[in-house]
Amino acid sequence: MAILETIVIAFWAMLPAYVPNNAAVLAGGGRPIDGGRTWGDKRMLGDGKTWRGTAAGIVAGLALAGFLSLFAGDVSSATGVEVPEFTPLAALGLAAGAMLGDILASFLKRRTGRQRGAMFPGLDQLDFVVVSLPLTALLASEWFFDVFTWEVIAVVVVLTPILHVTTNMIAYKLGLKNEPW
């Protein structure tokens, strides 16, 4: 597989996992998932992880996967790159896995004493990948192993931090985030 083709497939396949956290920021607010509970003397997750944001993120990822699936054939014909359609379980694994990864990262941040919005290099950029890929492999194994070759996974691991930092900087400049990471 040529490198450009691998990059296109990696980006396309990860879009339903890339979008949920951004949608959660836009739709956030409401009741925190942890309900204000603490573990020891620290909040479990904090006010930034809400039921509304999580639900909106998952719905956005599912909707995007459905939209991409509608146009996968046309995009493949136009580009010459065979981009995948998403099965419902693949879409769920990617979208819900992304949100779960972000929630688990928040939990780890609180355990290490980091406040909401504090930087945690590496974890901030790959938290949703680390959970969405295994969850998708579990829920939609055949689809996952057809799409996520080792080459595609390598591109995802390299491409994701670059995209994450870039989109966070844009959101910060637009006033949608309080910190640029």
Side-chain angles (χ1 to χ4, degrees), residues 72-120:
D74 293 336
V75 170
S76 295
S77 294
T79 64
V81 176
E82 193 67 32
V83 295
E85 293 182 16
F86 297 87
T87 66
L89 287 176
L92 181 62
L94 289 164
M99 294 309 301
L100 182 57
D102 191 55
I103 290 166
L104 291 173
S106 182
F107 179 78
L108 290 174
K109 283 182 170 185
R110 300 301 89 75
R111 303 293 63 76
T112 60
R114 288 174 172 83
Q115 296 301 314
R116 178 180 178 189
M119 194 177 349
F120 198 141

Side-chain angles (χ1 to χ4, degrees), residues 40-177:
D41 61 343
K42 298 175 184 149
R43 280 286 294 275
M44 289 180 69
L45 300 174
D47 291 336
K49 302 298 169 230
T50 66
W51 290 109
R52 179 179 16 187
T54 301
I58 293 170
V59 167
L62 291 171
L64 180 59
F67 180 80
L68 292 172
S69 290
L70 288 175
F71 294 99
D74 293 336
V75 170
S76 295
S77 294
T79 64
V81 176
E82 193 67 32
V83 295
E85 293 182 16
F86 297 87
T87 66
L89 287 176
L92 181 62
L94 289 164
M99 294 309 301
L100 182 57
D102 191 55
I103 290 166
L104 291 173
S106 182
F107 179 78
L108 290 174
K109 283 182 170 185
R110 300 301 89 75
R111 303 293 63 76
T112 60
R114 288 174 172 83
Q115 296 301 314
R116 178 180 178 189
M119 194 177 349
F120 198 141
L123 182 68
D124 285 333
Q125 291 77 34
L126 292 171
D127 56 353
F128 57 96
V129 172
V130 170
V131 179
S132 66
L133 292 183
L135 184 59
T136 306
L138 181 68
L139 294 177
S141 298
E142 185 176 344
W143 181 89
F144 178 85
F145 291 108
D146 283 346
V147 173
F148 285 97
T149 63
W150 287 113
E151 293 84 4
V152 169
I153 291 171
V155 168
V156 166
V157 170
V158 171
L159 183 65
T160 298
I162 295 166
L163 290 172
H164 189 269
V165 169
T166 302
T167 58
N168 281 343
M169 290 296 290
I170 292 167
Y172 176 72
K173 297 270 186 199
L174 293 174
L176 300 172
K177 289 192 64 149

